[in-house]
């Protein structure tokens, strides 16, 4: 299993680059960033700096969208980065959340998402395509290689993922929900005549490594990661609105938002925000990975058995560096060895 890290583009950007460099040194394979240009700094500028300062890690957004990022511009950006630094980019994309909602917009339709994937994949891989009878290509791009991974929760978005994506991003770490989500993507791929085994699966969630499993340590870690349940709740609320609370989506995912009263995007993705008190402790424990290193190894091993190819660690709490170091020194080696000897 690969391990990635998900960073916010908070100023100063140099600190984001430093974390990415350290992640590569510790053995992480991917560095992802948020893409919400009003809330944080411009990710693609920072991606260029990360790629310049590293040699191996693959870099990309988790996730961009076709509403605030016009697809041909997105493709050109990735192709440019690949030409400058080698083929070390990846495109995570979804319908759009904070980037569009802070503009009082709405997420893109699935049809728009599907078309944007077609455009980004073709041009980002130095190919050509037709739009309304016009052939488009990047004449300067030669040999660019770009995978497009889709973030999704709802049944139709999962079906689209299985039909067209190179990879699937599930932004929560609950193995039971992951089983259902991965199964939906694989089934859609098979219906579309694709090889389900060709699709890569990434689970992304906050991880907080504590010194022990004492009640005080776990309580503090939960408060630092509770924001994530609120973020996931935005997407779940859309699913419930569209499909109903009794849809085929697992109740384990939909039931907890009954107490949700709203969401303040000015606090999006921030520990200690005021609008996620509705998220219960058990959801934090299931959606995130919290506890001493052995707890992380156990959960990651379980996800790996389910077919997860990468776990991407959200580092949005008060122990960013400590968790990163613990993963490099304790979690990663134990996961490779299949045991926890620390």
């Amino acid at each position: 299993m690969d391990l990635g890290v998900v960073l916010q583009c908070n100023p100063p950007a140099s600190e984001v680059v430093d974390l990415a460099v350290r992640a590569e040194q510790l053995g992480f394979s991917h560095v992802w960033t948020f893409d919400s240009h009003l809330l944080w700094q411009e990710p693609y500028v920072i991606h260029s700096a990360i790629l310049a300062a590293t040699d191996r890690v693959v870099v990309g957004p988790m996730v961009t969208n076709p509403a605030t990022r016009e697809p041909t511009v997105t493709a050109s950006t990735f192709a440019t980065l690949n030409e400058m630094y080698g083929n070390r980019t990846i495109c995570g994309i979804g319908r759009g959340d904070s980037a569009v909602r802070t503009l009082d917009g709405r997420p893109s339709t699935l049809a728009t998402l599907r078309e944007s994937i077609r455009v980004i994949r073709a041009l980002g891989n130095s190919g050509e395509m037709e739009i309304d009878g016009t052939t488009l290509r990047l004449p300067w791009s030669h040999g660019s290689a770009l995978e497009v991974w889709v973030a999704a929760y709802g049944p139709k978005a999962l079906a689209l993922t299985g039909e067209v994506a190179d990879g699937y991003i599930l932004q929560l770490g609950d193995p039971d929900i992951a089983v259902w989500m991965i199964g939906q993507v694989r089934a859609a791929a098979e219906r579309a005549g694709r090889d389900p085994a060709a699709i890569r699966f990434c689970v992304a969630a906050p991880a907080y490594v504590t010194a022990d499993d004492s009640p005080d340590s776990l309580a503090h870690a939960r408060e630092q990661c509770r924001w994530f349940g609120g973020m996931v709740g935005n997407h779940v609320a859309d699913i419930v609105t569209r499909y109903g609370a009794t849809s085929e989506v697992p109740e384990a995912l939909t039931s907890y938002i009954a107490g949700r009263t709203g969401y303040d995007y000015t606090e999006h993705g921030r520990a200690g925000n005021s609008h996620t008190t509705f998220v219960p402790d058990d959801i934090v424990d299931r959606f995130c990975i919290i506890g001493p290193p052995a707890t992380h190894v156990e959960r990651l091993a379980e996800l790996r058995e389910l077919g997860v190819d990468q776990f991407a660690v959200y580092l949005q709490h008060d122990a960013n560096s400590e968790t990163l170091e613990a993963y490099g020194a304790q979690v990663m080696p134990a996961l490779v060895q299949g045991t926890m000897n620390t």
Side-chain angles (χ1 to χ4, degrees):
M1 174 188 279
D2 289 337
L3 289 175
V5 61
V6 186
L7 307 175
Q8 281 179 346
C9 297
N10 290 310
S14 59
E15 292 186 1
V16 182
V17 176
D18 288 344
L19 278 173
V21 170
R22 185 57 182 150
E24 178 176 83
Q25 293 170 346
L26 292 170
F28 285 80
S29 63
H30 289 67
V31 173
W32 306 86
T33 71
F34 283 48
D35 177 8
S36 195
H37 59 288
L38 291 181
L39 296 178
W40 301 290
Q41 292 182 317
E42 176 57 34
Y44 293 112
V45 176
I46 296 174
H47 291 176
S48 186
I50 291 172
L51 289 163
T54 57
D55 300 310
R56 177 183 52 81
V57 289
V58 176
V59 180
M62 186 180 285
V63 293
T64 192
N65 72 87
T68 61
R69 304 288 186 181
E70 198 278 330
T72 62
V73 178
T74 297
S76 179
T77 299
F78 283 113
T80 300
L81 291 173
N82 283 341
E83 190 277 327
M84 293 173 68
Y85 303 110
N87 289 322
R88 290 201 288 132
T89 66
I90 188 168
C91 179
I93 193 168
R95 295 177 57 212
D97 183 32
S98 63
V100 296
R101 296 189 195 272
T102 52
L103 292 168
D104 200 26
R106 296 176 61 83
S108 302
T109 65
L110 289 177
T112 298
L113 177 60
R114 183 186 296 272
E115 177 64 7
S116 73
I117 293 168
R118 185 174 79 95
V119 172
I120 293 168
R121 177 183 285 117
L123 300 183
N125 285 280
S126 299
E128 63 180 35
M129 59 169 300
E130 281 197 8
I131 297 181
D132 298 328
T134 300
T135 299
L136 302 181
R137 58 186 294 267
L138 303 174
W140 48 265
S141 177
H142 305 283
S144 177
L146 178 70
E147 291 189 354
V148 182
W149 292 25
V150 176
Y153 292 101
K156 291 184 179 180
L158 291 169
L160 179 150
T161 302
E163 291 163 5
V164 302
D166 297 304
Y168 168 52
I169 298 170
L170 171 59
Q171 291 164 301
L172 58 84
D174 185 315
D176 292 336
I177 295 174
V179 168
W180 186 83
M181 297 285 190
I182 291 172
Q184 293 291 303
V185 172
R186 285 176 171 161
E190 191 167 4
R191 290 193 302 268
R194 301 182 67 199
D195 178 6
I199 301 174
R200 302 285 303 280
F201 294 97
C202 172
V203 165
Y208 195 112
V209 178
T210 61
D212 52 45
D213 56 3
S214 67
D216 287 346
S217 294
L218 296 179
H220 176 78
R222 288 189 188 105
E223 290 308 313
Q224 287 292 305
C225 296
R226 199 175 302 276
W227 66 267
F228 185 70
M231 186 185 84
V232 173
N234 295 331
H235 302 285
V236 176
D238 286 344
I239 292 171
V240 171
T241 298
R242 184 176 182 86
Y243 298 101
T246 58
S247 69
E248 60 181 303
V249 178
E251 184 182 1
L253 179 59
T254 60
S255 62
Y256 83 98
I257 68 163
R260 180 180 183 270
T261 58
Y263 193 85
D264 182 356
Y265 276 92
T266 65
E267 295 184 319
H268 184 65
R270 302 185 190 279
N273 58 36
S274 60
H275 55 271
T276 57
T277 56
F278 74 93
V279 181
D281 287 352
D282 69 298
I283 287 293
V284 180
D285 291 345
R286 289 170 57 186
F287 284 13
C288 310
I289 308 181
I290 291 170
T295 300
H296 295 254
V297 174
E298 181 179 3
R299 177 78 69 84
L300 294 180
E302 185 177 1
L303 291 170
R304 181 172 59 187
E305 287 300 310
L306 299 178
V308 174
D309 299 289
Q310 180 184 155
F311 180 72
V313 181
Y314 276 94
L315 284 180
Q316 285 75 46
H317 48 61
D318 65 358
N320 292 348
S321 294
E322 294 87 347
T323 292
L324 192 67
E325 295 294 331
Y327 259 68
Q330 297 173 277
V331 176
M332 199 178 302
L335 189 64
V336 171
Q337 296 168 8
T339 184
M340 187 71 230
N341 295 318
T342 57

